Amino acid sequence: MTQESNQADNVKAGIDKINFYTPNHYLDLVDLAEARGVDPNKYLIGIGQNRMSVAALDQDVVAMAANAAEPILSDDDRQEIGMLIVATESGIDQSKAAALFVQDLLGLTADLRAIEIKEACYGATAGIQLACDYVRCHPGRKVLVIASDIARYGLDTPGEVTQGAGAVAMLVTRDPGILAIEPESLYASRSTGDFWRPNYSTEAFARGKFSEEVYVGMFSDLWDKAQQQGLADPEHLQALLFHIPFSKMGRKGLRTLGNGKISEANYNRLTERFERSIVYGKEVGNIYTGSIYLALLSLLDNDESLQAGDRIGLFSYGSGSVAELYFGTLQPRYRNRLDAQGHRALLDARERLSMAEYEAMFSARLVTDGSEQNLERSDSAAGASHYLAGMKKHERQYR
């Protein structure tokens, strides 16, 4: 290992600021259950979800990404961002990166790298790790990482209840204000067919039970390796976060540590904090790449017992499949960087859709023949300043 790489590893890097945005419409899962002839408890308890956000056409992944990032960027941040990463599996173009549209909407400088990352729900974690490596090697530069996705499985399909929409924006810097991320992590990749969306389909396909098996198996393997390497001592781990396409999935991962694998006291502590990490996800639904980072924000906003210096583990999983287990430490005065009141207000201000309104919104489509299409702005709130205004000659028009 070179002297330069040793020096880079010793630089503290991680999440300095974080925010999320979700569209201002939601479907209550009791309404969905009744419409589909299902016991509501199958949704509320069986998969552990209450509501799911529904995106109108004007709130695509670009608009949501910009809306998530806008409130946390200062003028200095805009000048110092050297890389912009948008992680999504709901991409809008096979060639042009969503990050380039976001760069324009946010008024960032041209002096940066702008890329889009795709690997199912793992993409944002790849972006975070790339961002940490970048800022360790580039003093004075920052990276904006945004996870933005719309989970779609189709009307009246088995996966319909695990849909959702939203974006999480994170500013990665040296000497971060919220979470310092450790350079050492455990990761694995293997080609599986648990979940996929061909280019010709607007909805995803999944083998649900198989996906759960892969998810849990990869977590167990990485946890065991982390323990062997001394990275996962449960005595010094205050919380363990999971990718949560629905809260029951993360709960299954956590339960693998029960039955004596770790002490009862440690298991109970991790379970209590897991419950606080799913508060937002149960209301928003599945946001693919952003799900684990919405869990992080939910934990930080809703757990008053956490303290600076507490160590947190994060298990990121993306179907297909790539998984990573990594760790971070909460920084002094991290609470000053949070906006729990604003996040709760965002959720509370959403409008409840009827089934007819939900199905109409879900079925709406952008034109694909090059004609002009104008869209009405669906969210006029101050926190939703960006939206897709329409289509013209096959190009998306943003404001």
Side-chain angles (χ1 to χ4, degrees):
M1 184 176 289
T2 66
Q3 182 178 359
E4 290 79 5
S5 61
N6 269 320
Q7 290 173 344
D9 284 344
N10 291 329
V11 173
K12 187 186 293 186
I15 299 172
D16 187 59
K17 299 179 183 179
I18 185 170
N19 186 51
F20 88 96
Y21 171 81
T22 193
N24 69 328
H25 296 93
Y26 75 90
L27 180 67
D28 192 294
L29 295 189
V30 172
D31 294 341
L32 179 64
E34 292 175 349
R36 303 300 184 228
V38 174
D39 180 352
N41 284 332
K42 183 177 180 180
Y43 296 164
L44 304 180
I45 300 174
I47 67 163
Q49 296 295 118
N50 298 330
R51 300 171 176 178
M52 64 183 187
S53 291
V54 181
L57 280 182
D58 71 305
Q59 284 300 322
D60 65 3
V61 292
V62 167
M64 291 193 301
N67 285 330
E70 186 76 63
I72 62 173
L73 298 181
S74 67
D75 290 341
D76 286 343
D77 292 333
R78 295 175 203 272
Q79 294 298 316
E80 294 166 357
I81 290 172
M83 185 182 296
L84 169 60
I85 300 171
V86 173
T88 185
E89 55 182 287
S90 312
I92 60 167
D93 192 281
Q94 291 282 56
S95 182
K96 184 176 179 179
L100 289 164
F101 294 100
V102 175
Q103 174 193 18
D104 189 45
L105 288 174
L106 295 177
L108 303 183
T109 71
D111 184 23
L112 55 76
R113 295 169 178 160
I115 60 172
E116 181 177 319
I117 290 182
K118 180 192 74 177
E119 201 322 279
C121 301
Y122 171 76
T125 297
I128 288 288
Q129 295 293 2
L130 179 60
C132 287
D133 288 345
Y134 178 88
V135 300
R136 289 185 183 113
C137 296
H138 293 81
R141 302 297 267 171
K142 303 175 180 179
V143 181
L144 179 59
V145 179
I146 312 175
S148 186
D149 265 308
I150 300 172
R152 292 174 59 95
Y153 296 95
L155 300 176
D156 203 10
T157 63
E160 182 179 27
V161 67
T162 61
Q163 299 177 138
V168 180
M170 295 164 283
L171 190 67
V172 176
T173 69
R174 289 187 172 207
D175 299 318
I178 295 177
L179 187 73
I181 295 174
E182 298 173 12
E184 301 85 5
S185 68
L186 291 301
Y187 42 83
S189 301
R190 76 175 70 142
S191 180
T192 66
D194 63 329
F195 173 99
W196 69 103
R197 182 172 71 82
N199 288 339
Y200 54 77
S201 177
T202 58
E203 280 83 47
F205 300 91
R207 296 183 176 100
K209 278 301 202 183
F210 179 51
S211 189
E212 291 181 15
E213 292 171 2
V214 177
Y215 175 107
V216 171
M218 293 186 83
F219 168 70
S220 295
D221 289 347
L222 293 181
W223 176 265
D224 290 345
K225 290 178 181 178
Q227 285 213 302
Q228 293 167 12
Q229 295 182 26
L231 296 176
D233 179 3
E235 289 291 336
H236 300 101
L237 197 62
Q238 295 304 312
L240 182 59
L241 303 179
F242 290 83
H243 166 57
I244 46 170
F246 53 93
S247 65
K248 193 66 171 289
M249 181 78 99
R251 198 180 303 281
K252 288 184 177 182
L254 180 60
R255 283 176 177 167
T256 64
L257 302 182
N259 300 319
K261 196 165 187 178
I262 63 176
S263 74
E264 183 177 359
N266 289 330
Y267 182 74
N268 289 341
R269 180 181 67 256
L270 296 181
T271 299
E272 288 174 7
R273 292 213 163 107
F274 172 81
E275 295 299 331
R276 292 163 195 151
S277 77
I278 62 177
V279 172
Y280 290 165
K282 291 173 73 171
E283 299 297 309
V284 172
N286 189 0
I287 59 170
Y288 288 156
T289 50
S291 293
I292 188 172
Y293 299 103
L294 186 62
L296 172 63
L297 194 50
S298 179
L299 173 69
L300 299 183
D301 280 355
N302 294 290
D303 193 315
E304 295 293 333
S305 65
L306 285 169
Q307 299 178 16
D310 282 347
R311 190 166 181 259
I312 295 174
L314 299 94
F315 173 67
S316 179
Y317 174 81
S319 291
S321 299
V322 180
E324 183 161 353
L325 177 62
Y326 70 100
F327 304 89
T329 303
L330 290 176
Q331 298 302 288
R333 296 178 296 279
Y334 77 90
R335 291 191 188 279
N336 296 340
R337 297 294 180 114
L338 304 175
D339 183 18
Q341 184 176 355
H343 297 148
R344 295 187 187 107
L346 174 68
L347 294 174
D348 292 343
R350 292 177 302 167
E351 300 176 14
R352 181 174 181 170
L353 296 173
S354 67
M355 280 300 298
E357 290 170 330
Y358 152 67
E359 292 185 345
M361 191 172 288
F362 183 92
S363 301
R365 295 287 188 272
L366 295 174
V367 296
T368 58
D369 59 1
S371 60
E372 188 167 345
Q373 180 182 20
N374 296 314
L375 299 178
E376 292 185 6
R377 186 176 179 182
S378 64
D379 189 350
S380 58
S385 54
H386 302 292
Y387 65 101
L388 174 63
M391 297 287 293
K392 187 176 182 180
K393 296 181 179 179
H394 296 289
E395 289 189 287
R396 296 189 182 217
Q397 310 294 314
Y398 289 101
R399 293 179 186 168

